[in-house]
Amino acid sequence: MDTLNLETALKNASGLIDQRLGEVLVVPDAPEGRVIEAMKYTLMGGGKRLRAFLCIQTAKLFNVQEANYARVATAIECAHSYSLVHDDLPAMDDDDMRRGRPSLHKAFDEATAILAGDALLTLAFEIMADEKTHPRKAVRLDLISGFSKALGARGMVGGQMFDLMSPELELDAGALTRLQKMKTGALIEFSVDAGCIMGQVPDATRSVLTAYAHDIGLAFQIADDLLDVEACQDDIGKTPGKDEASGKVTFVSLLGLNRAKDQARMLVEQAVGHLEIFGSEADALREAAHYVIIRGH
Ligand code: GRG
């Protein structure tokens, strides 16, 4: 699969998610309709749908039904959107722009953005728990358990706390890796693991895919740090240069531009190496590994 086909495959994943979201996000003609409008603003705001794509492509390796993986991928994108909405709030990263347009609290207001984030997270679990997501209760329970761990205080929320505290901490590469593994890596890892859970695959296969996801998660974060330094606002759709301004340690500030790029490339090669047990059916995952460091936003 070349880059062009990967872009088509990402668009197809987006289409699948948009279709599911259209079904669940019906705006009632009532006061609470505002929060659903706000959720739609965020969910239909032009994200890459990378996590959905990883979930879908992993599930496809194990012949999971589209009706099942489309719902799980949608739940993951809802949770990811919640994290971005809350991250942009004045109390957190305080960013007025996201995906090239006003962030949710700017387009609506702060209270609506907090509520929309809360409702996106709860919608994610509502979708995951529904019996349409998987016929087997045990599989749904495993999905919900893994999802909770990835998102909670030992995963993304914990990573965000760690990140907010980081200007006062003197982070070395090991500590920064741990922070990013929690903040960004945990949901990326779960996106791949969700495909394994739905496919009910043996532990050995699951471990290989977890190792792949771990490496692309870290490469993704290094690429994000590089974009913050090298890209302009039009490219990344948010305010660049924020890491340096906030005094946060990043892979670029620790390693320098060139070593950070080398490290990202090394992680991508390592990630692709983990997939050697698969044939061409895993080409989309191989392409995705390369894409995380060549993406422009
Ligand atoms: C508020 C609980 C809470 C958590 C926030 C993920 C996160 C934690 C904050 C986002 C901050 C940030 C910019 C992290 C860098 C990596 C990242 C998650 C980028 C955004 O993900 P993309 O590029 O977004 O996949 P799109 O717009 O494509 O969906």
Side-chain angles (χ1 to χ4, degrees), residues 46-51 77 80 82-84 86-87 92 98-99 156-157 160 183-184 220-221 224 238 295 297:
K48 294 182 290 297
R49 308 283 198 220
L50 177 67
R51 293 153 192 79
E77 285 296 323
H80 167 60
Y82 128 78
S83 78
L84 300 183
H86 280 194
D87 184 63
M92 301 254 189
R98 168 71 60 187
R99 296 166 172 163
M156 187 168 71
V157 167
Q160 180 77 346
K183 186 178 119 173
T184 315
F220 179 91
Q221 183 60 53
D224 210 71
K238 60 179 182 175
R295 69 200 166 94
H297 61 97

Side-chain angles (χ1 to χ4, degrees), residues 120-181:
L120 283 164
L121 180 60
T122 43
L123 175 63
F125 281 92
E126 186 184 328
I127 294 171
M128 206 69 108
D130 193 293
E131 63 182 15
K132 290 201 282 294
T133 295
H134 200 280
R136 291 194 57 201
K137 260 190 193 156
V139 168
R140 298 203 299 277
L141 208 55
D142 275 356
L143 286 168
I144 292 166
S145 169
F147 202 28
S148 321
K149 285 180 189 141
L151 293 170
R154 289 171 200 276
M156 187 168 71
V157 167
Q160 180 77 346
M161 186 78 255
F162 196 169
D163 191 36
L164 289 171
M165 294 179 73
S166 67
E168 287 105 63
L169 307 168
E170 279 181 25
L171 301 188
D172 60 13
L176 181 62
T177 302
R178 179 169 173 264
L179 186 166
Q180 301 304 356
K181 192 171 152 46

Side-chain angles (χ1 to χ4, degrees), residues 245-258:
S246 65
K248 281 183 185 166
V249 168
T250 68
F251 287 104
V252 175
S253 71
L254 274 182
L255 305 175
L257 272 176
N258 289 337

